[in-house]
Amino acid sequence: MAGLIVAAVLILFALFLAAKTVRIIPQARAGVVERLGRYSRTLTPGMTIVVPFIDRVRPLLDLREQVVSFPPQPVITADNVSVGIDTVLYFTVTEPKSATYEIANPLQAIEQLTVTTLRNIVGSLTLEQALTSRDEVNDRLRVVLDERTGKWGIRINGVELKSIDPPGGIQEAMEKQMRAERDRRAAILTAEGVKQSAILTAEGEKQSAVLKAEGGKQAAILRAEGEAKAIDTVFKAIHAGDPDPKLLSYQYLQMLPQLARGDANKIWVIPSEFTQALSNLSGFAADVTERRQKPEPPSPPAVTPGDPAA
């Protein structure tokens, strides 16, 4: 019975030694081995063997990129405005030995370094610059943190400012300023639209006046050409017909009522040619009356065939 108990104890001790001797390191993990209290080596992913009771494996380190968010920190800008800024940090452990022995609490050290560096950077900027220059602040913060954490075996991959919260009164004043700026831009755009509309309207009226003037000019030219042709035609017809003075006097008397027509004609002066026209017309009338009173000459007798007088 005692032999069975001893065998069971030996088996358990052997299993314990095997568990302490054979270690399996997962992917993206690293372990630091200390031999008799001093650094011995760094375990990489896979199966490895350590010496029990002599080698000690410290807690495994995660080699993947890690994200940590820091709570808002009060920061005073260059124009004496206190704002709350919270940040998000992305980092990766590159040297497990340095991350184990060079720094006691990496996250706390990174947080405090981030706060102090952020106050130095934002303290040299005004509130408006801090709100509009986040990329610049992120780059400067990352460079400073990466330079300081390099000896700790930690690489800073990126820093992002999650939010910048100014006081409530400052936010209200900024909103009023933004509304005023938007109203000013809207007024400017409205004025520009009215100006362009007035310019286009004036240009249209100018072109319309020019076109109307051109049309009137062409119409006057065409009317003048038509009247000239009509006068020329009448002149040629008169000369071709060779009218006597009496006919011209008659036509002149017919045109006199048209010359006196009109609402503005209150006084009508009889031209000197009127008497001459009347005398010609009276002579013409006398000739017509004389012709009507003069007896017609007798017509010759008709001659028939077979008449001896023929």
Side-chain angles (χ1 to χ4, degrees):
M1 185 66 181
L4 292 176
I5 295 175
V6 172
V9 171
L10 292 176
I11 292 173
L12 292 176
F13 183 72
L15 293 175
F16 178 76
L17 288 178
K20 288 292 184 180
T21 302
V22 179
R23 299 296 300 267
I24 298 177
I25 308 300
Q27 184 67 32
R29 297 289 193 279
V32 175
V33 179
E34 295 179 346
R35 177 165 293 179
L36 299 178
R38 299 183 60 181
Y39 171 77
S40 174
R41 68 183 187 276
T42 300
L43 301 181
T44 57
M47 186 179 68
T48 185
I49 296 176
V50 297
V51 179
F53 307 109
I54 297 178
D55 294 339
R56 186 173 73 92
V57 180
R58 296 181 63 90
L60 300 180
L61 298 176
D62 195 342
L63 302 181
R64 296 172 296 178
E65 185 175 15
Q66 302 181 49
V67 182
V68 58
S69 177
F70 299 136
Q73 299 294 330
V75 179
I76 299 177
T77 61
D79 48 354
N80 296 324
V81 178
S82 179
V83 295
I85 302 178
D86 55 344
T87 56
V88 179
L89 185 69
Y90 301 87
F91 69 95
T92 303
V93 176
T94 57
E95 294 291 338
K97 176 182 177 181
S98 299
T100 303
Y101 297 107
E102 295 294 336
I103 185 70
N105 193 336
L107 291 180
Q108 184 179 2
I110 293 174
E111 180 181 3
Q112 296 302 318
L113 183 59
T114 301
V115 172
T116 55
T117 307
L118 186 62
R119 288 177 178 174
N120 292 333
I121 295 175
V122 177
S124 61
L125 303 175
T126 62
L127 178 59
E128 184 176 359
Q129 291 175 344
L131 292 174
T132 58
S133 304
R134 289 195 178 189
D135 292 338
E136 180 181 355
V137 174
N138 294 337
D139 293 339
R140 293 175 59 183
L141 190 59
R142 185 191 63 80
V143 170
V144 174
L145 292 178
D146 190 46
E147 182 180 358
R148 293 290 301 275
T149 59
K151 63 180 181 180
W152 300 342
I154 298 175
R155 183 179 68 246
I156 303 298
N157 299 323
V159 181
E160 297 290 340
L161 300 183
K162 184 187 295 185
S163 64
I164 301 177
D165 300 325
I170 300 296
Q171 289 184 359
E172 184 178 357
M174 293 174 63
E175 292 176 357
K176 291 181 179 179
Q177 181 181 1
M178 292 177 61
R179 285 196 296 268
E181 182 67 20
R182 286 195 294 267
D183 294 340
R184 183 182 69 85
R185 292 179 181 177
I188 291 175
L189 292 176
T190 302
E192 289 290 337
V194 173
K195 176 182 176 182
Q196 293 295 330
S197 176
I199 292 174
L200 293 177
T201 301
E203 289 289 338
E205 293 177 354
K206 175 183 176 182
Q207 294 180 2
S208 176
V210 170
L211 292 176
K212 288 181 179 178
E214 290 290 337
K217 175 182 176 182
Q218 295 294 330
I221 292 174
L222 293 176
R223 284 196 299 268
E225 291 179 352
E227 292 176 358
K229 290 181 179 179
I231 292 173
D232 183 64
T233 302
V234 172
F235 182 77
K236 289 180 180 180
I238 291 173
H239 282 274
D242 192 14
D244 56 359
K246 298 177 181 179
L247 179 60
L248 295 177
S249 299
Y250 179 73
Q251 292 292 332
Y252 179 75
L253 292 176
Q254 285 185 338
M255 291 298 298
L256 287 178
Q258 297 183 4
L259 295 175
R261 187 180 303 169
D263 298 334
N265 295 333
K266 298 181 179 179
I267 299 175
W268 183 51
V269 179
I270 299 176
S272 60
E273 291 83 359
F274 181 71
T275 56
Q276 184 178 358
L278 287 177
S279 62
N280 294 332
L281 186 61
S282 61
F284 177 72
D287 292 340
V288 173
T289 304
E290 184 180 356
R291 290 177 182 178
R292 288 181 179 180
Q293 293 178 357
K294 185 178 181 180
E296 296 181 358
S299 58
V303 179
T304 57
D307 189 354

